[in-house]
Amino acid sequence: MPADAPGAAALLYFDDEARAAERLAAAAGLRALRIDRHRFPDGELKLTLPVDPAGRLPVRAVLLRGLHQPNDKLVELLLAARAARGLGVQHLALVAPYLAYMRQDIAFHPGEAVSQRIVGPFLASLFDAVVTVDPHLHRVATLQEAVPAAQTAVLSGAPLLSDWIVRQRPGALLIGPDGESAQWVAAAAARHGLAHAVCTKVRHGDRSVSIALPPVAVQGRAVVLLDDMASTGHTLAQAARLLRAAGAASVDVAVTHALIDAPSLAALHAAGVGAFWSTDCVPHASNVVAMAPELARALAQLAAGATMFAS
Ligand code: R5P
């Protein structure tokens, strides 16, 4: 069915993600339809869904919502998903290129809410399928354990970042800043036969980490630090300082999710980082890798009925 045909599957999106929605709609052959938001003076939200003249939505719909700065967006998802069901949507997929609250997967102190175990089932209660990129799964093996939706799909930015890295820094040494990054570093390195290793990290607080370099020779090497995300940038900054002190000729950074703000990025450069590259999972000036084609492929597989095409 053509994307603009009445009844064709819709890609629902919010105004602040119009460009990402256009890219995904074009790649996936979906009809992009905007959900309007009104914020009342008391802060509450009113959503208006893009229904047809009969007041209905298509039976299949995809909702695009990147979950960086997630708190308000979780309420939007609740309102939008429940409203969409009432307006005729029978299969509703969430595409969240960045999936929030995955890092809090254990209570480190008595009384702490384990957010992953709360937010994941919440999303699964709203959506039939959840598609995301490089979710931070540390103590759980699959996305479905964290987000028990009927269908889940996990994509990775690592292969495409690897393609970018070899064009910019042929023969680079890939380094992950901590144990969790080993999965992404290994995948990126395998794609182009790059040497790789990972650091060890102990986190003391939001902006305080200790890092130890792996036992590999970095003297004179072009090093690229690869991780799933940069948030405060302290992890990458600390690793970059150590690599520079150990004689690395250059240290650049590639991440899937650029959550980092401008002052933190400036601090990262001050720590010795040259280039900072990212996928477009989170809109950022550093975006160099487009994920829409991969997301579209995942949606096609889900539409074809795959119960779970990836972890
Ligand atoms: C945690 O293990 C993640 O992979 C990142 O390394 C971490 O979240 C980055 O946080 P920040 O940029 O605040 O150090």
Side-chain angles (χ1 to χ4, degrees), residues 103 136 177-178 180-181 184 201 203 206 209 227-236 260:
R103 282 177 291 176
H136 193 89
D178 53 25
E180 291 103 298
S181 64
W184 302 296
K201 176 173 90 176
R203 182 173 283 285
D206 290 346
V209 294
D227 204 359
D228 59 336
M229 69 181 79
S231 178
T232 68
H234 277 71
T235 297
L236 292 162
I260 192 166

PDB file of all heavy atoms in Angstrom, residues 103 136 177-178 180-181 184 201 203 206 209 227-236 260, ligand 1:
ATOM      1  N   ARG A 103      19.965   2.222  32.665  1.00  0.00           N
ATOM      2  CA  ARG A 103      21.181   2.060  33.464  1.00  0.00           C
ATOM      3  C   ARG A 103      20.894   1.732  34.920  1.00  0.00           C
ATOM      4  O   ARG A 103      21.709   1.121  35.581  1.00  0.00           O
ATOM      5  CB  ARG A 103      22.041   3.335  33.375  1.00  0.00           C
ATOM      6  CG  ARG A 103      22.813   3.420  32.071  1.00  0.00           C
ATOM      7  CD  ARG A 103      23.600   4.692  31.964  1.00  0.00           C
ATOM      8  NE  ARG A 103      22.745   5.854  31.807  1.00  0.00           N
ATOM      9  CZ  ARG A 103      23.177   7.106  31.772  1.00  0.00           C
ATOM     10  NH1 ARG A 103      24.456   7.355  31.886  1.00  0.00           N
ATOM     11  NH2 ARG A 103      22.327   8.095  31.604  1.00  0.00           N
ATOM     12  N   HIS A 136      21.316   0.343  27.152  1.00  0.00           N
ATOM     13  CA  HIS A 136      22.357   0.006  28.115  1.00  0.00           C
ATOM     14  C   HIS A 136      21.907  -1.183  28.962  1.00  0.00           C
ATOM     15  O   HIS A 136      21.356  -1.028  30.054  1.00  0.00           O
ATOM     16  CB  HIS A 136      22.685   1.206  29.000  1.00  0.00           C
ATOM     17  CG  HIS A 136      23.934   0.991  29.780  1.00  0.00           C
ATOM     18  ND1 HIS A 136      25.182   1.333  29.291  1.00  0.00           N
ATOM     19  CD2 HIS A 136      24.151   0.424  30.976  1.00  0.00           C
ATOM     20  CE1 HIS A 136      26.094   0.986  30.171  1.00  0.00           C
ATOM     21  NE2 HIS A 136      25.495   0.436  31.201  1.00  0.00           N
ATOM     22  N   PRO A 177      35.781   2.560  27.171  1.00  0.00           N
ATOM     23  CA  PRO A 177      36.180   3.167  28.449  1.00  0.00           C
ATOM     24  C   PRO A 177      35.839   2.336  29.679  1.00  0.00           C
ATOM     25  O   PRO A 177      36.273   2.662  30.770  1.00  0.00           O
ATOM     26  CB  PRO A 177      35.412   4.492  28.465  1.00  0.00           C
ATOM     27  CG  PRO A 177      34.190   4.209  27.665  1.00  0.00           C
ATOM     28  CD  PRO A 177      34.618   3.231  26.590  1.00  0.00           C
ATOM     29  N   ASP A 178      35.026   1.278  29.490  1.00  0.00           N
ATOM     30  CA  ASP A 178      34.658   0.444  30.648  1.00  0.00           C
ATOM     31  C   ASP A 178      34.216  -0.932  30.161  1.00  0.00           C
ATOM     32  O   ASP A 178      34.073  -1.169  28.954  1.00  0.00           O
ATOM     33  CB  ASP A 178      33.558   1.111  31.486  1.00  0.00           C
ATOM     34  CG  ASP A 178      32.336   1.512  30.668  1.00  0.00           C
ATOM     35  OD1 ASP A 178      32.104   0.885  29.610  1.00  0.00           O
ATOM     36  OD2 ASP A 178      31.625   2.440  31.072  1.00  0.00           O
ATOM     37  N   GLU A 180      31.369  -2.468  30.271  1.00  0.00           N
ATOM     38  CA  GLU A 180      30.097  -2.546  29.536  1.00  0.00           C
ATOM     39  C   GLU A 180      30.271  -2.239  28.049  1.00  0.00           C
ATOM     40  O   GLU A 180      29.484  -2.684  27.219  1.00  0.00           O
ATOM     41  CB  GLU A 180      29.070  -1.569  30.122  1.00  0.00           C
ATOM     42  CG  GLU A 180      28.580  -1.939  31.501  1.00  0.00           C
ATOM     43  CD  GLU A 180      29.245  -1.074  32.559  1.00  0.00           C
ATOM     44  OE1 GLU A 180      30.496  -1.145  32.677  1.00  0.00           O
ATOM     45  OE2 GLU A 180      28.538  -0.355  33.271  1.00  0.00           O
ATOM     46  N   SER A 181      31.266  -1.454  27.714  1.00  0.00           N
ATOM     47  CA  SER A 181      31.444  -1.060  26.306  1.00  0.00           C
ATOM     48  C   SER A 181      32.060  -2.178  25.469  1.00  0.00           C
ATOM     49  O   SER A 181      32.127  -2.061  24.234  1.00  0.00           O
ATOM     50  CB  SER A 181      32.334   0.193  26.208  1.00  0.00           C
ATOM     51  OG  SER A 181      33.639  -0.104  26.684  1.00  0.00           O
ATOM     52  N   TRP A 184      30.130  -3.337  22.305  1.00  0.00           N
ATOM     53  CA  TRP A 184      30.101  -2.444  21.148  1.00  0.00           C
ATOM     54  C   TRP A 184      31.487  -2.340  20.502  1.00  0.00           C
ATOM     55  O   TRP A 184      31.618  -2.286  19.282  1.00  0.00           O
ATOM     56  CB  TRP A 184      29.590  -1.060  21.570  1.00  0.00           C
ATOM     57  CG  TRP A 184      28.216  -1.167  22.172  1.00  0.00           C
ATOM     58  CD1 TRP A 184      27.079  -1.586  21.518  1.00  0.00           C
ATOM     59  CD2 TRP A 184      27.821  -0.933  23.528  1.00  0.00           C
ATOM     60  NE1 TRP A 184      26.014  -1.603  22.389  1.00  0.00           N
ATOM     61  CE2 TRP A 184      26.435  -1.204  23.621  1.00  0.00           C
ATOM     62  CE3 TRP A 184      28.499  -0.498  24.664  1.00  0.00           C
ATOM     63  CZ2 TRP A 184      25.716  -1.063  24.813  1.00  0.00           C
ATOM     64  CZ3 TRP A 184      27.793  -0.367  25.852  1.00  0.00           C
ATOM     65  CH2 TRP A 184      26.416  -0.640  25.921  1.00  0.00           C
ATOM     66  N   LYS A 201      36.603   0.483  34.847  1.00  0.00           N
ATOM     67  CA  LYS A 201      36.097   1.738  35.434  1.00  0.00           C
ATOM     68  C   LYS A 201      35.422   1.453  36.766  1.00  0.00           C
ATOM     69  O   LYS A 201      34.716   0.463  36.908  1.00  0.00           O
ATOM     70  CB  LYS A 201      35.091   2.375  34.468  1.00  0.00           C
ATOM     71  CG  LYS A 201      34.415   3.640  34.990  1.00  0.00           C
ATOM     72  CD  LYS A 201      33.552   4.306  33.925  1.00  0.00           C
ATOM     73  CE  LYS A 201      32.141   3.802  33.923  1.00  0.00           C
ATOM     74  NZ  LYS A 201      31.266   4.492  32.959  1.00  0.00           N
ATOM     75  N   ARG A 203      32.849   3.623  39.188  1.00  0.00           N
ATOM     76  CA  ARG A 203      32.113   4.887  39.293  1.00  0.00           C
ATOM     77  C   ARG A 203      31.925   5.237  40.764  1.00  0.00           C
ATOM     78  O   ARG A 203      31.480   4.418  41.558  1.00  0.00           O
ATOM     79  CB  ARG A 203      30.755   4.772  38.591  1.00  0.00           C
ATOM     80  CG  ARG A 203      29.961   6.066  38.609  1.00  0.00           C
ATOM     81  CD  ARG A 203      28.704   5.979  37.760  1.00  0.00           C
ATOM     82  NE  ARG A 203      28.939   6.091  36.331  1.00  0.00           N
ATOM     83  CZ  ARG A 203      29.219   7.224  35.694  1.00  0.00           C
ATOM     84  NH1 ARG A 203      29.340   8.352  36.371  1.00  0.00           N
ATOM     85  NH2 ARG A 203      29.403   7.233  34.384  1.00  0.00           N
ATOM     86  N   ASP A 206      27.974  10.664  40.081  1.00  0.00           N
ATOM     87  CA  ASP A 206      27.530  11.078  38.739  1.00  0.00           C
ATOM     88  C   ASP A 206      28.688  11.636  37.904  1.00  0.00           C
ATOM     89  O   ASP A 206      28.746  11.441  36.696  1.00  0.00           O
ATOM     90  CB  ASP A 206      26.453  12.167  38.851  1.00  0.00           C
ATOM     91  CG  ASP A 206      25.148  11.619  39.391  1.00  0.00           C
ATOM     92  OD1 ASP A 206      24.980  10.380  39.426  1.00  0.00           O
ATOM     93  OD2 ASP A 206      24.285  12.441  39.784  1.00  0.00           O
ATOM     94  N   VAL A 209      34.625   9.236  38.244  1.00  0.00           N
ATOM     95  CA  VAL A 209      34.954   7.852  37.889  1.00  0.00           C
ATOM     96  C   VAL A 209      36.463   7.663  37.983  1.00  0.00           C
ATOM     97  O   VAL A 209      37.232   8.608  37.797  1.00  0.00           O
ATOM     98  CB  VAL A 209      34.506   7.494  36.443  1.00  0.00           C
ATOM     99  CG1 VAL A 209      32.996   7.522  36.306  1.00  0.00           C
ATOM    100  CG2 VAL A 209      35.173   8.395  35.410  1.00  0.00           C
ATOM    101  N   ASP A 227      31.827   4.174  22.799  1.00  0.00           N
ATOM    102  CA  ASP A 227      30.930   3.817  23.908  1.00  0.00           C
ATOM    103  C   ASP A 227      29.489   3.974  23.443  1.00  0.00           C
ATOM    104  O   ASP A 227      29.226   4.535  22.373  1.00  0.00           O
ATOM    105  CB  ASP A 227      31.215   4.716  25.120  1.00  0.00           C
ATOM    106  CG  ASP A 227      30.793   4.067  26.451  1.00  0.00           C
ATOM    107  OD1 ASP A 227      30.267   2.927  26.435  1.00  0.00           O
ATOM    108  OD2 ASP A 227      30.987   4.705  27.496  1.00  0.00           O
ATOM    109  N   ASP A 228      28.564   3.480  24.279  1.00  0.00           N
ATOM    110  CA  ASP A 228      27.155   3.639  23.897  1.00  0.00           C
ATOM    111  C   ASP A 228      26.709   5.075  24.069  1.00  0.00           C
ATOM    112  O   ASP A 228      25.884   5.556  23.306  1.00  0.00           O
ATOM    113  CB  ASP A 228      26.245   2.678  24.698  1.00  0.00           C
ATOM    114  CG  ASP A 228      26.318   2.884  26.209  1.00  0.00           C
ATOM    115  OD1 ASP A 228      27.333   3.394  26.701  1.00  0.00           O
ATOM    116  OD2 ASP A 228      25.346   2.518  26.890  1.00  0.00           O
ATOM    117  N   MET A 229      27.215   5.764  25.074  1.00  0.00           N
ATOM    118  CA  MET A 229      26.737   7.124  25.311  1.00  0.00           C
ATOM    119  C   MET A 229      27.784   7.994  25.977  1.00  0.00           C
ATOM    120  O   MET A 229      28.690   7.497  26.650  1.00  0.00           O
ATOM    121  CB  MET A 229      25.488   7.101  26.187  1.00  0.00           C
ATOM    122  CG  MET A 229      25.748   6.681  27.615  1.00  0.00           C
ATOM    123  SD  MET A 229      24.247   6.645  28.593  1.00  0.00           S
ATOM    124  CE  MET A 229      23.527   5.087  28.079  1.00  0.00           C
ATOM    125  N   ALA A 230      27.621   9.279  25.751  1.00  0.00           N
ATOM    126  CA  ALA A 230      28.352  10.272  26.531  1.00  0.00           C
ATOM    127  C   ALA A 230      27.295  11.118  27.206  1.00  0.00           C
ATOM    128  O   ALA A 230      26.433  11.682  26.534  1.00  0.00           O
ATOM    129  CB  ALA A 230      29.227  11.132  25.633  1.00  0.00           C
ATOM    130  N   SER A 231      27.347  11.193  28.530  1.00  0.00           N
ATOM    131  CA  SER A 231      26.346  11.975  29.264  1.00  0.00           C
ATOM    132  C   SER A 231      27.036  13.201  29.865  1.00  0.00           C
ATOM    133  O   SER A 231      27.043  14.273  29.256  1.00  0.00           O
ATOM    134  CB  SER A 231      25.701  11.081  30.323  1.00  0.00           C
ATOM    135  OG  SER A 231      24.769  11.793  31.076  1.00  0.00           O
ATOM    136  N   THR A 232      27.668  13.037  31.015  1.00  0.00           N
ATOM    137  CA  THR A 232      28.482  14.158  31.520  1.00  0.00           C
ATOM    138  C   THR A 232      29.811  14.225  30.784  1.00  0.00           C
ATOM    139  O   THR A 232      30.508  15.234  30.844  1.00  0.00           O
ATOM    140  CB  THR A 232      28.786  13.999  33.018  1.00  0.00           C
ATOM    141  OG1 THR A 232      29.669  12.876  33.184  1.00  0.00           O
ATOM    142  CG2 THR A 232      27.522  13.792  33.830  1.00  0.00           C
ATOM    143  N   GLY A 233      30.207  13.117  30.163  1.00  0.00           N
ATOM    144  CA  GLY A 233      31.486  13.053  29.461  1.00  0.00           C
ATOM    145  C   GLY A 233      32.659  12.715  30.370  1.00  0.00           C
ATOM    146  O   GLY A 233      33.788  12.569  29.899  1.00  0.00           O
ATOM    147  N   HIS A 234      32.404  12.540  31.680  1.00  0.00           N
ATOM    148  CA  HIS A 234      33.521  12.292  32.588  1.00  0.00           C
ATOM    149  C   HIS A 234      34.229  10.968  32.299  1.00  0.00           C
ATOM    150  O   HIS A 234      35.445  10.862  32.433  1.00  0.00           O
ATOM    151  CB  HIS A 234      33.044  12.341  34.043  1.00  0.00           C
ATOM    152  CG  HIS A 234      32.972  13.735  34.572  1.00  0.00           C
ATOM    153  ND1 HIS A 234      32.019  14.633  34.161  1.00  0.00           N
ATOM    154  CD2 HIS A 234      33.757  14.393  35.446  1.00  0.00           C
ATOM    155  CE1 HIS A 234      32.213  15.786  34.781  1.00  0.00           C
ATOM    156  NE2 HIS A 234      33.270  15.667  35.553  1.00  0.00           N
ATOM    157  N   THR A 235      33.438   9.951  31.938  1.00  0.00           N
ATOM    158  CA  THR A 235      34.045   8.648  31.629  1.00  0.00           C
ATOM    159  C   THR A 235      35.046   8.796  30.480  1.00  0.00           C
ATOM    160  O   THR A 235      36.204   8.370  30.571  1.00  0.00           O
ATOM    161  CB  THR A 235      32.937   7.639  31.241  1.00  0.00           C
ATOM    162  OG1 THR A 235      32.086   7.453  32.377  1.00  0.00           O
ATOM    163  CG2 THR A 235      33.512   6.314  30.798  1.00  0.00           C
ATOM    164  N   LEU A 236      34.583   9.404  29.396  1.00  0.00           N
ATOM    165  CA  LEU A 236      35.442   9.531  28.214  1.00  0.00           C
ATOM    166  C   LEU A 236      36.594  10.503  28.468  1.00  0.00           C
ATOM    167  O   LEU A 236      37.719  10.292  27.993  1.00  0.00           O
ATOM    168  CB  LEU A 236      34.596   9.981  27.020  1.00  0.00           C
ATOM    169  CG  LEU A 236      33.600   8.913  26.535  1.00  0.00           C
ATOM    170  CD1 LEU A 236      32.504   9.534  25.677  1.00  0.00           C
ATOM    171  CD2 LEU A 236      34.332   7.813  25.759  1.00  0.00           C
ATOM    172  N   ILE A 260      25.422  14.469  25.614  1.00  0.00           N
ATOM    173  CA  ILE A 260      26.321  15.453  26.230  1.00  0.00           C
ATOM    174  C   ILE A 260      25.969  16.891  25.823  1.00  0.00           C
ATOM    175  O   ILE A 260      25.632  17.145  24.661  1.00  0.00           O
ATOM    176  CB  ILE A 260      27.776  15.091  25.847  1.00  0.00           C
ATOM    177  CG1 ILE A 260      28.788  15.863  26.662  1.00  0.00           C
ATOM    178  CG2 ILE A 260      28.007  15.258  24.334  1.00  0.00           C
ATOM    179  CD1 ILE A 260      30.209  15.278  26.540  1.00  0.00           C
TER     180      ILE A 260
HETATM  181  C1  R5P B   1      27.978   3.486  31.450  1.00  0.00           C
HETATM  182  O1  R5P B   1      28.580   2.447  31.679  1.00  0.00           O
HETATM  183  C2  R5P B   1      27.851   4.022  30.057  1.00  0.00           C
HETATM  184  O2  R5P B   1      28.258   3.101  29.101  1.00  0.00           O
HETATM  185  C3  R5P B   1      28.638   5.294  29.878  1.00  0.00           C
HETATM  186  O3  R5P B   1      30.024   4.985  29.958  1.00  0.00           O
HETATM  187  C4  R5P B   1      28.305   6.289  30.919  1.00  0.00           C
HETATM  188  O4  R5P B   1      26.927   6.309  31.149  1.00  0.00           O
HETATM  189  C5  R5P B   1      28.765   7.648  30.507  1.00  0.00           C
HETATM  190  O5  R5P B   1      28.395   8.558  31.478  1.00  0.00           O
HETATM  191  P1  R5P B   1      29.226   9.892  31.658  1.00  0.00           P
HETATM  192  O6  R5P B   1      29.385  10.497  30.297  1.00  0.00           O
HETATM  193  O7  R5P B   1      28.352  10.729  32.554  1.00  0.00           O
HETATM  194  O8  R5P B   1      30.518   9.536  32.299  1.00  0.00           O
END
